[in-house]
Amino acid sequence: MRYFKYENTGENKNNALTEQYKTLSKREKQIVRKETTWKMLIKFCSTVIFFFCMMPALRLIRAIPQPTVWFWAIFAIIGKIILGLIFLIISGILTFYLTSPLWKKLRSFSLPTMKKEIFAKACWHLRVYYHFQEPYIITKCFDATDRKFKNHDVCIFFVQDELRITADLKNGFLHGERDLGCYIFEQNEISLSKQQNGKHLSVLLKTDDTFFLLGYRAKSFIEKNFT
């Protein structure tokens, strides 16, 4: 088993997004910048609205007198907690309702098809670096020794006689921290076993000290291509 990860060899080694951003067209860059700005605006507005909704509620709860008798004091504390949860839900609903016009505006120029094309295009250098090629399968990684892979979609593919596992390079992503690196296995290094994962079946890919708990369809894909 081997592991390696792409490193930006440019001047800004800590920002893989810089290299990805260069691959985008002028129109694509405008979409990314516009979407980022609107997301920041929505986050700011949501925080402010939620804060101003909750502050009067908290003052009201604090204004409720606390009984001196311990029996009634317990009931008062429980009542305040329930009241706080009710105000929390109401504040969340109000925040969502009042910011819904901003979400609609965001969706008006954040086209899913365009985003998909941008994400896929932005990962071209990673696909080249990790030698991503057919045959491949995209599946869920439910758990792994390397915690970065847990609950991520991963690509499983073959390069000659080696099995490789990386992040989802097919659909792609923009931010460099989503690059999980690449694990390489030879056939005699791994074992596959069927596992029950809640209500669904999964497959456990395991070496001596490393494992990946993957979607069950990965089992037949690996067995087919390793034979």
Side-chain angles (χ1 to χ4, degrees):
M1 182 198 77
R2 305 194 308 275
Y3 173 82
F4 66 106
K5 188 174 182 180
Y6 176 83
E7 292 185 6
N8 191 345
T9 56
E11 295 181 359
N12 188 357
K13 295 183 179 180
N14 295 321
N15 188 9
L17 181 58
T18 301
E19 189 161 335
Q20 297 169 349
Y21 197 72
K22 292 177 182 178
T23 67
L24 306 181
S25 67
K26 184 177 180 180
R27 179 169 176 249
E28 290 169 343
K29 289 178 180 179
Q30 289 175 345
I31 292 175
V32 173
R33 289 196 298 267
K34 197 172 183 180
E35 183 181 18
T36 302
T37 302
W38 274 90
K39 284 182 177 179
M40 292 176 61
L41 177 62
I42 292 172
K43 184 177 180 179
F44 173 77
C45 292
S46 298
T47 303
V48 172
I49 293 172
F50 187 81
F51 176 79
F52 279 101
C53 288
M54 281 300 296
M55 283 304 297
L58 292 175
R59 290 179 180 176
L60 178 62
I61 292 174
R62 289 177 181 176
I64 298 175
Q66 184 71 16
T68 55
V69 180
W70 69 269
F71 179 80
W72 294 111
I74 293 175
F75 273 97
I77 292 173
I78 295 174
K80 288 180 180 180
I81 292 173
I82 295 173
L83 194 61
L85 291 174
I86 293 173
F87 282 128
L88 187 67
I89 294 171
I90 293 174
S91 298
I93 293 173
L94 284 174
T95 300
F96 176 79
Y97 176 77
L98 293 175
T99 57
S100 59
L102 297 177
W103 286 107
K104 290 180 180 178
K105 180 67 177 178
L106 176 64
R107 287 192 293 269
S108 68
F109 57 79
S110 179
L111 301 176
T113 303
M114 178 61 71
K115 284 179 65 177
K116 186 175 181 179
E117 292 176 358
I118 292 173
F119 290 170
K121 188 175 180 181
C123 286
W124 71 269
H125 64 292
L126 294 177
R127 289 196 288 272
V128 172
Y129 189 75
Y130 295 134
H131 299 283
F132 176 66
Q133 61 187 30
E134 294 184 349
Y136 68 87
I137 189 174
I138 300 172
T139 188
K140 188 78 171 181
C141 179
F142 300 103
D143 199 3
T145 307
D146 188 337
R147 309 307 288 177
K148 298 191 303 295
F149 282 78
K150 184 177 181 180
N151 294 325
H152 274 269
D153 288 337
V154 295
C155 278
I156 303 174
F157 58 99
F158 287 84
V159 178
Q160 296 180 351
D161 295 328
E162 296 177 336
L163 180 152
R164 300 193 176 193
I165 301 179
T166 69
D168 182 0
L169 301 180
K170 174 63 177 177
N171 295 315
F173 45 83
L174 280 179
H175 298 286
E177 63 270 15
R178 295 193 179 182
D179 173 23
L180 306 177
C182 181
Y183 279 88
I184 301 177
F185 302 93
E186 294 182 3
Q187 184 175 5
N188 59 1
E189 293 179 322
I190 68 169
S191 63
L192 300 174
S193 59
K194 183 168 61 175
Q195 300 283 324
Q196 190 70 33
N197 183 29
K199 296 181 180 179
H200 306 283
L201 285 175
S202 58
V203 59
L204 182 68
L205 183 154
K206 189 175 181 181
T207 64
D208 292 336
D209 55 358
T210 303
F211 75 88
F212 290 87
L213 187 63
L214 306 166
Y216 188 68
R217 65 196 188 102
K219 184 175 185 294
S220 59
F221 174 77
I222 295 171
E223 289 175 341
K224 175 182 176 182
N225 288 280
F226 252 157
T227 55

